[in-house]
Amino acid sequence: MDVSHIIDSLNPEQRKAVTAEAGPLLIQAGAGSGKTRVLTHRVAWLNQVEGVSPFAILAVTFTNKAAGEMRARVEELLGSSVGPMWVGTFHGLSHRFLRMHWKEAKLPQAFQILDSEDQRRMVQRTIRGLDLDEAQWPARTAMWYINAKKDEGLRAGYIRDEGDPTEQQMIRIYDAYQTACELAGAVDFAELLLRALETLRDNEEILQHYQARFQHLLVDEFQDTNAIQYAWLRLLAGDTGNLFAVGDDDQSIYGWRGARVENILNFDIDFPGTKVIRLEQNYRSTATILNAANALIENNSGRLGKNLWTDIGDGDLITFYSAYNEGDEARFVVERINDHIHAGGSRSDAAILYRSNAQSRVLEEALFRSGMPYRVYGGLRFFERMEIKDALAYMRLINLPEDDISFERIVNQPTRGIGDKTITQIRDVAREAGVSLWHASAEILSANALKGRAATAVGGFMTLIIKLRADTKDMPLNDMVEHIIEHSGLLAHYKKDRTDKGEARIENLQELIGAAGMPVEIPEDMPDMSPLDAFLSNAALEAGEKQGDEWEECVQLMTMHSAKGLEFPLVFITGMEQGLFPSQRSVEEGGIEEERRLCYVGITRAEQKLYLSMAEHRKLYGRDHFNTVSKFISEIPSEHLQEIRPRLNTTRPVMQPAQRRKEVREDNVTGLSVGQRVRHGKFGEGIVTDYEGQGAHARVYINFEDVGAKWLVMAYANLEVLNVA
DNA sequence: TTCTTACCTCTTTTT
DNA sequence: GAGGTAAGAA
């Protein structure tokens, strides 16, 4: 059989991975080393050479995008569909499993998925139900706690409180929340995984079935797996241990949400006989960029260790720019992008990365002023938008009136005179009788327990839902959505808002109609799922990636976290400041290595040219920050760096005397730092807030107590240093 | 019920 | 400093 199309394009290491014998395999895939390629070719190899049916393969990823890409590329390679292969996210596959085995999982057949916002509301209601002080027990914190425990596989009853009252309270909230979820037939994201795992574990027959079925498991981004996901994989891999895990311990940046690098580091303990293959040839970046990244990551301990290399040439030096403030930094970035465009480059080549979303604003302003189209990643996703969730809630309630979460969401949206009092009354009846809010409403109405106006309003709402259901019964999905948006009053409600925001909401609703017109995929092993059910659960699991065409010819702005997996010819990493990146918190909490890995991820996004920048003075959250240069800059060997504007002494000497670069130290002619207190013979006392220029031309901006702020030339000012700020 | 005001938070994000 | 949420007033 001719297998050349599968292996010809691979380098020796990649080929070794793709053609490896069955058994546990750990692929240490460095940034830009072709890991997706290895994964897809592995599937093709298994199928075409080893004769493994797609039916016996399970491939799991973290994002829907990665899953979709994997399926598409495998099919392209094979030239045929691989329908029966299970490809998806951990959550998506767990969901599929639970839909098929809802009985064994002890779930109602029509269980629904809570997204983060639904979950927060649910936790909040639980906390109120327990009569706890919401200020002392914020829903977000409790939710975070619950998710963390679930990610570790822990049920409320199994957590040891160690006598800690806070922990005890959290456990109570967790327990009560879980009860509420069971009652509502609701499942949060973490629950999908945990429930699937427990169902597999506790049902020998099902477990054996799947273990026998999935002869080969493949995992992408293995360094990001948490305890549950790992347990899930181990259970499914069973005794054969045919687990093909691809990951990079140096790119583990999600420890804060439960990812465990240990899963990579200890892989061979759980899977004896593991073969490790390292993909170290990088096809993305110049040698300069790679060497900088390698040197940086060397500072981490406990790595598996690898060194990326490339046969692409050295390329340009990495440019480091130290700006006066964030505006100057933004201006610098925009100018460089303009240079790039004038040299014939395109805007979409450029990505501006930052540590936190708050930093995007100033950059956006600068881009906007210079008329440069840009696109910011992150923020609210399509299916998380208020108006979309409203519309979906109508669809859910029509589909299943017992859906209390949707009921509460739309019973008074748009407002129809059903206030807090009425809702509380309905809720009480529902709780006492142990029925849904919908049933409770009906009972209250028939018992005439409501006053005139409220009774009419509730009756009107119920009639509306019943009518909508009857009217849309035989409609295709998109017509149904359109009908509901129109006749529920949502459209009119949002049309009342004449602002840009309102218009955007209308547009989103239109888009929802469009989305409902697209064919929804119903898994082959679940033929009894209705298109509506498929659409609704898809909406919960797929927050809605922005469609691709929108960001064509745009400069890309995103956090370094969301940049993972992407690559750009021209990359800017902004805010290279101690306290910002690495962030203050991570330094305090011992998370510096993960920050360094994040920096590593950022650097390795760059193909040709990398710019690093900092702002010596930055306003963040309305406060002034005078940060020193990021520790990470000093970890990049200076032969790879080119400093455009050597900084003056902006460092507070007490903070870090040793870390300053040589060429900068020579420039320390002022002996002053921003934030320092000084005295001037004529103007009195003041604080240094800015400076510019160098050597004899250096000027400092001093805010004097008596005469206000002034620029002074260092050479003539004759300042007396009073104290270090 | 709806509008207004006070108050809180503010690393990183997918599902 | 801004933006969103939740409690309070008309």
Side-chain angles (χ1 to χ4, degrees):
Chain A
M1 173 181 213
D2 180 24
V3 294
S4 55
H5 67 291
I6 299 179
I7 56 172
D8 272 3
S9 61
L10 304 175
N11 71 31
E13 294 306 310
Q14 292 173 335
R15 195 173 300 184
K16 219 154 87 187
V18 166
T19 63
E21 282 174 35
L25 206 64
L26 180 62
I27 317 293
Q28 267 280 86
S33 64
K35 90 190 149 72
T36 312
R37 189 181 198 87
V38 165
L39 273 168
T40 50
H41 285 242
R42 172 68 172 178
V43 174
W45 175 268
L46 287 174
N47 178 239
Q48 299 213 322
V49 180
E50 308 282 343
V52 179
S53 155
F55 181 81
I57 299 174
L58 181 145
V60 60
T61 62
F62 277 85
T63 66
N64 292 304
K65 196 174 152 210
E69 206 172 290
M70 170 124 70
R71 180 178 287 274
R73 283 177 65 169
V74 167
E75 290 183 346
E76 188 187 342
L77 206 56
L78 294 179
S80 67
S81 154
V82 282
M85 180 166 125
W86 274 36
V87 188
T89 63
F90 280 102
H91 294 87
L93 297 179
S94 293
H95 171 241
R96 182 165 169 179
F97 174 84
L98 291 176
R99 287 275 176 225
M100 289 166 68
H101 303 287
W102 54 274
K103 263 189 201 140
E104 292 86 349
K106 302 188 182 72
L107 286 170
Q109 184 170 16
F111 73 85
Q112 63 157 329
I113 303 168
L114 301 180
D115 71 12
S116 319
E117 201 219 329
D118 300 332
Q119 189 189 15
R120 211 205 81 248
R121 286 171 172 229
M122 194 89 171
V123 172
Q124 188 172 48
R125 242 191 295 158
T126 307
I127 291 171
R128 284 180 186 163
L130 288 172
D131 268 330
L132 295 175
D133 178 10
E134 282 177 72
Q136 199 185 346
W137 306 100
R140 284 178 53 120
T141 316
M143 173 170 131
W144 205 83
Y145 176 88
I146 292 167
N147 288 338
K149 291 303 168 193
K150 284 192 178 182
D151 283 345
E152 286 171 40
L154 286 172
R155 292 291 181 195
Y158 288 88
I159 305 170
R160 283 174 300 169
D161 59 38
E162 314 277 357
D164 177 1
T166 309
E167 183 96 16
Q168 285 168 345
Q169 194 65 275
M170 284 295 184
I171 294 171
R172 276 183 55 204
I173 297 173
Y174 180 179
D175 197 37
Y177 162 78
Q178 195 55 42
T179 309
C181 284
E182 303 287 340
L183 212 68
V187 169
D188 59 53
F189 287 135
E191 184 74 21
L192 282 172
L193 299 182
L194 182 51
R195 192 66 75 105
L197 181 79
E198 290 171 345
T199 308
L200 269 178
R201 188 194 58 198
D202 300 339
N203 291 276
E204 190 59 30
E205 213 172 295
I206 297 181
L207 178 62
Q208 277 180 11
H209 168 78
Y210 283 101
Q211 282 181 341
R213 168 171 176 178
F214 294 124
Q215 286 304 299
H216 290 272
L217 307 180
L218 297 91
V219 211
D220 192 13
E221 305 279 18
F222 187 61
Q223 76 282 352
D224 289 338
T225 49
N226 63 28
I228 277 283
Q229 290 156 345
Y230 187 62
W232 198 96
L233 289 168
R234 272 185 66 183
L235 198 57
L236 275 180
D239 298 331
T240 67
N242 287 341
L243 181 57
F244 189 91
V246 181
D248 180 0
D249 56 326
D250 291 334
Q251 292 189 69
S252 162
I253 54 174
Y254 286 110
W256 52 274
R257 66 170 198 218
R260 299 197 320 186
V261 213
E262 300 93 297
N263 293 346
I264 275 203
L265 305 176
N266 303 331
F267 189 76
D268 56 344
I269 299 174
D270 287 320
F271 294 95
T274 293
K275 268 212 287 191
V276 178
I277 295 174
R278 288 193 168 73
L279 305 180
E280 295 179 305
Q281 181 173 5
N282 171 294
Y283 295 93
R284 180 187 293 158
S285 312
T286 64
T288 299
I289 290 166
L290 275 190
N291 292 337
N294 283 336
L296 176 88
I297 203 68
E298 278 281 301
N299 291 287
N300 272 5
S301 58
R303 299 173 57 222
L304 277 178
K306 68 179 152 12
N307 236 2
L308 292 182
W309 61 276
T310 179
D311 52 21
I312 302 174
D314 282 348
D316 288 348
L317 286 179
I318 296 165
T319 301
F320 176 61
Y321 180 69
S322 165
Y324 300 123
N325 54 38
E326 69 271 33
D328 183 28
E329 181 184 43
R331 181 194 50 78
F332 171 80
V333 170
V334 174
E335 278 173 12
R336 295 292 81 71
I337 296 175
N338 262 323
D339 291 349
H340 175 76
I341 289 164
H342 288 135
S346 90
R347 280 187 290 272
S348 53
D349 290 345
I352 310 176
L353 311 183
Y354 35 79
R355 176 68 236 264
S356 70
N357 285 308
Q359 289 168 248
S360 77
R361 179 106 134 256
V362 186
L363 295 160
E364 285 185 65
E365 277 168 21
L367 287 162
F368 184 79
R369 265 203 310 275
S370 70
M372 175 119 39
Y374 65 90
R375 173 167 181 256
V376 189
Y377 277 72
L380 264 193
R381 272 145 225 287
F382 186 71
F383 284 108
E384 285 169 357
R385 289 167 199 280
M386 177 167 77
E387 62 279 14
I388 300 302
K389 295 199 68 168
D390 286 345
L392 291 177
Y394 272 98
M395 293 170 71
R396 289 212 165 91
L397 200 63
I398 286 163
N399 194 30
L400 185 77
E402 282 75 29
D403 183 344
D404 287 354
I405 293 148
S406 298
F407 185 98
E408 287 221 26
R409 184 172 186 103
I410 53 168
V411 67
N412 199 33
Q413 171 72 351
T415 47
R416 47 174 70 87
I418 304 176
D420 256 353
K421 240 180 81 192
T422 315
I423 295 173
T424 310
Q425 200 176 338
I426 298 174
R427 222 182 271 143
D428 287 347
V429 171
R431 193 178 313 159
E432 267 170 44
V435 296
S436 67
L437 296 176
W438 177 264
H439 275 283
S441 305
E443 260 172 54
I444 291 174
L445 280 184
S446 62
N448 278 325
L450 277 176
K451 290 214 186 73
R453 220 171 42 195
T456 329
V458 173
F461 174 66
M462 294 185 77
T463 316
L464 172 69
I465 296 297
I466 292 167
K467 184 164 187 322
L468 283 176
R469 173 159 48 181
D471 289 348
T472 57
K473 210 170 130 247
D474 300 313
M475 286 185 185
L477 216 50
N478 55 338
D479 290 348
M480 176 179 174
V481 175
E482 190 168 8
H483 185 94
I484 288 172
I485 291 172
E486 170 78 40
H487 292 89
S488 63
L490 274 183
L491 194 70
H493 172 73
Y494 285 117
K495 268 191 176 153
K496 270 192 292 190
D497 183 357
R498 307 296 289 166
T499 62
D500 286 355
K501 233 180 189 166
E503 267 171 44
R505 293 195 197 283
I506 301 288
E507 270 173 38
N508 287 331
L509 287 173
Q510 306 288 351
E511 205 170 311
L512 183 68
I513 300 170
M518 307 294 234
V520 240
E521 193 192 334
I522 295 175
E524 294 184 12
D525 31 20
M526 282 188 284
D528 53 340
M529 201 172 193
S530 77
L532 178 59
D533 283 328
F535 181 78
L536 289 176
S537 46
N538 194 47
L541 282 174
E542 189 158 350
E545 301 279 335
K546 274 263 187 170
Q547 49 283 71
D549 53 307
E550 252 184 68
W551 45 274
E552 260 177 66
E553 264 318 280
C554 277
V555 175
Q556 321 279 306
L557 276 74
M558 67 191 87
T559 64
M560 274 172 273
H561 280 92
S562 25
K564 191 166 98 167
L566 305 175
E567 55 187 41
F568 307 92
L570 182 60
V571 169
F572 297 85
I573 302 182
T574 61
M576 295 295 299
E577 293 139 56
Q578 201 65 16
L580 187 63
F581 187 39
S583 76
Q584 191 60 44
R585 247 167 105 168
S586 69
V587 174
E588 282 159 9
E589 292 168 12
I592 187 78
E593 298 216 338
E594 183 153 310
E595 294 283 291
R596 192 176 281 114
R597 290 193 291 266
L598 185 58
C599 189
Y600 177 79
V601 167
I603 292 175
T604 52
R605 298 311 95 197
E607 293 169 6
Q608 288 154 27
K609 176 73 191 176
L610 175 64
Y611 287 94
L612 305 171
S613 61
M614 74 170 293
E616 287 154 353
H617 170 213
R618 183 182 297 275
K619 243 190 159 99
L620 211 58
Y621 304 130
R623 291 230 319 264
D624 286 313
H625 295 261
F626 300 101
N627 289 325
T628 58
V629 63
S630 168
K631 175 178 186 176
F632 300 146
I633 292 289
S634 61
E635 292 175 358
I636 297 173
S638 52
E639 69 255 34
H640 301 314
L641 274 182
Q642 169 196 37
E643 293 199 43
I644 287 201
R645 184 184 73 92
R647 285 157 297 130
L648 293 176
N649 180 14
T650 59
T651 312
R652 286 177 246 177
V654 272
M655 294 290 283
Q656 43 164 206
Q659 280 181 17
R660 309 198 47 82
R661 311 189 72 76
K662 208 175 173 183
E663 57 273 27
V664 176
R665 223 179 288 145
E666 285 165 357
D667 244 83
N668 280 350
V669 290
T670 66
L672 290 175
S673 54
V674 168
Q676 209 162 36
R677 244 186 125 62
V678 293
R679 180 183 293 134
H680 182 267
K682 200 162 133 198
F683 302 131
E685 292 184 17
I687 291 173
V688 177
T689 57
D690 206 353
Y691 52 84
E692 67 175 36
Q694 49 181 295
H697 304 291
R699 300 196 307 151
V700 275
Y701 196 59
I702 301 169
N703 198 358
F704 289 106
E705 276 162 9
D706 299 331
V707 294
K710 289 185 184 308
W711 279 105
L712 298 177
V713 177
M714 274 306 294
Y716 307 111
N718 207 6
L719 295 167
E720 180 191 349
V721 177
L722 292 177
N723 68 331
V724 174

